[in-house]
Amino acid sequence: MCINFHKYNYNLLSDSEKSDYELRDKNAYKEVLTKWFNENLSDFVDRKWEIGEIHYLKQIGDFIKLLQEAENLYELGFYTSCTALIGVSAEDFSKYLSLQNNKNEHITIIDRRGRTTDVSQYNRLKLQLIENIISQNSYDLLDEIRSIRNDCLHYNQNFKQKPQNELKNDALKVLNNLKIVLKEIIGNNIDPNDFEILLDETFKQENTRNFEELIWKHRNMFSHLLNFHIAQAPDVKIVSKYNIYKVRNIDNEEIDLTEFNPQGFPTVIVDIDEKGKELIKKENITIGDIVVAKIYSNVDINGQTSLWYIDDIKNYSNL
């Protein structure tokens, strides 16, 4: 049985009533989706951590859009759709690879009757292996995707009887297979020189869902590209610093403090709350002063320091 009663019978209503009913029902459906999402959120996140990472690819084709959508489908638990989409993405990537190597005969051929026919993925992979366009490992991974995808798209009796855990395993296998192949064939070694380019790319709407994800990805990029550990331990909630600083700038909202050392690095931008205003006024602190300060920051959900505040500050000339 398939039940598909998502909408009320608006034909029972007058034209003037329909819009109000639809608006009310849309708001109700938002609550249904929100409840379902929240109840399954932990599973979504756990599945995200099962998926391998490419980190970044400089050269991409349309196949990457399908891969990204398939990854989202796997997170949400739509395994059959994920498997089908990865199959299409893998085939599109194989065609892309042949065209990049000027192998148009991998895409279509002329048969004995002079008709143009499409080359199957099975034959295309064989040709790519023979011509050393792909390695044996990539061939095995792509051929496994092809086999699982065919089982899925033909929707034969065996596939229909697969339990949910097998569908999940199939989806995860093809998803990670394709990611391994992409890293092997067109993946780039992580290069710190790419950091600025990647920063710019993450600001594009198609690469991040919201500002929070943007910050999250920037943290992770720091850790991979620069081998820079900027995340605090999960049990750390507040970070404090106590040092001698030079005041580089100051206004009603912020004070810029530079560690007092020969390098003059790093500068910390500290927000001034009411407590900070009172301390700065009491010590008569101005630009160029040398100060001894204790500053602190609350650690956010990503394990990073956020806004810095003054816990205590003394003007060195007053000591």
Side-chain angles (χ1 to χ4, degrees):
M1 179 180 292
C2 176
I3 301 175
N4 192 225
F5 293 111
H6 286 119
K7 300 173 187 174
Y8 188 70
N9 183 1
Y10 299 118
N11 292 327
L12 299 173
L13 309 170
S14 66
D15 290 341
S16 62
E17 293 177 303
K18 283 183 181 180
S19 60
D20 289 339
Y21 273 73
E22 286 181 350
L23 180 60
R24 191 265 310 275
D25 290 353
K26 285 178 181 179
N27 288 330
Y29 191 54
K30 286 179 185 177
E31 293 189 14
V32 170
L33 289 179
T34 300
K35 187 173 187 294
W36 170 78
F37 190 88
N38 289 336
E39 289 174 348
N40 292 277
L41 186 56
S42 293
D43 292 333
F44 299 158
V45 174
D46 287 343
R47 285 194 287 268
K48 183 67 171 180
W49 257 249
E50 295 172 352
I51 302 170
E53 290 225 290
I54 297 173
H55 294 131
Y56 66 101
L57 302 171
K58 288 184 178 179
Q59 297 177 346
I60 60 170
D62 290 338
F63 60 84
I64 203 69
K65 298 175 185 176
L66 300 177
L67 171 62
Q68 290 169 333
E69 289 191 13
E71 184 166 338
N72 291 336
L73 288 169
Y74 181 79
E75 287 179 49
L76 295 174
F78 302 132
Y79 306 128
T80 302
S81 302
C82 172
T83 300
L85 208 53
I86 286 294
V88 177
S89 179
E91 186 167 344
D92 192 58
F93 167 68
S94 295
K95 291 178 180 178
Y96 164 89
L97 197 57
S98 289
L99 292 174
Q100 290 292 103
N101 286 273
N102 298 314
K103 298 292 184 179
N104 292 332
E105 65 274 17
H106 291 182
I107 311 300
T108 59
I109 56 172
I110 306 299
D111 65 16
R112 288 177 296 179
R113 297 182 179 181
R115 296 173 303 187
T116 300
T117 60
D118 294 332
V119 176
S120 69
Q121 179 73 342
Y122 175 83
N123 288 328
R124 183 180 301 108
L125 293 176
K126 287 286 187 183
L127 290 169
Q128 290 175 340
L129 178 62
I130 292 169
E131 297 170 15
N132 294 318
I133 294 175
I134 60 176
S135 68
Q136 183 67 53
N137 183 58
S138 287
Y139 171 84
D140 291 339
L141 293 170
L142 287 168
D143 195 53
E144 186 172 36
I145 294 174
R146 180 196 61 79
S147 177
I148 293 174
R149 179 251 193 174
N150 283 351
D151 194 28
C152 172
L153 290 189
H154 292 157
Y155 211 53
N156 57 37
Q157 199 61 31
N158 174 62
F159 186 85
K160 292 177 184 179
Q161 294 174 352
K162 281 189 175 182
Q164 192 74 352
N165 66 313
E166 285 190 31
L167 293 175
K168 179 179 184 294
N169 290 337
D170 282 348
L172 183 60
K173 183 182 291 292
V174 297
L175 184 54
N176 282 338
N177 275 13
L178 184 54
K179 286 199 166 190
I180 293 169
V181 169
L182 293 176
K183 286 183 70 173
E184 180 177 309
I185 296 177
I186 63 173
N188 304 96
N189 292 327
I190 290 178
D191 185 352
N193 293 323
D194 294 331
F195 188 73
E196 288 189 20
I197 298 173
L198 289 170
L199 280 178
D200 290 339
E201 285 293 317
T202 56
F203 278 98
K204 294 182 179 178
Q205 188 174 4
E206 65 267 23
N207 289 324
T208 51
R209 295 181 179 93
N210 49 40
F211 180 75
E212 287 71 23
E213 187 177 34
L214 178 70
I215 299 301
W216 175 263
K217 285 187 174 180
H218 284 179
R219 183 203 72 156
N220 298 337
M221 283 165 51
F222 266 107
S223 70
H224 286 287
L225 269 76
L226 306 180
N227 284 321
F228 194 61
H229 183 33
I230 61 173
Q232 302 294 328
D235 60 340
V236 175
K237 304 304 178 186
I238 298 178
V239 173
S240 297
K241 290 184 178 183
Y242 185 80
N243 212 331
I244 300 174
Y245 299 95
K246 184 171 184 177
V247 179
R248 292 293 184 186
N249 197 13
I250 186 171
D251 57 30
N252 289 329
E253 297 180 350
E254 294 177 343
I255 180 171
D256 297 0
L257 301 176
T258 300
E259 288 187 11
F260 194 69
N261 56 50
Q263 291 77 31
F265 179 85
T267 295
V268 183
I269 298 176
V270 182
D271 276 58
I272 301 175
D273 57 9
E274 289 304 316
K275 178 181 178 180
K277 287 180 181 178
E278 291 178 6
L279 290 169
I280 289 169
K281 182 178 180 180
K282 177 183 176 183
E283 293 293 312
N284 194 28
I285 293 170
T286 60
I287 295 174
D289 284 349
I290 306 302
V291 299
V292 179
K294 181 180 180 183
I295 59 177
Y296 72 94
S297 174
N298 295 311
V299 177
D300 65 20
I301 195 170
N302 297 323
Q304 294 178 277
T305 54
S306 49
L307 299 177
W308 288 90
Y309 294 99
I310 298 171
D311 191 40
D312 196 11
I313 192 167
K314 298 290 185 184
N315 196 323
Y316 198 79
S317 61
N318 295 339
L319 296 178

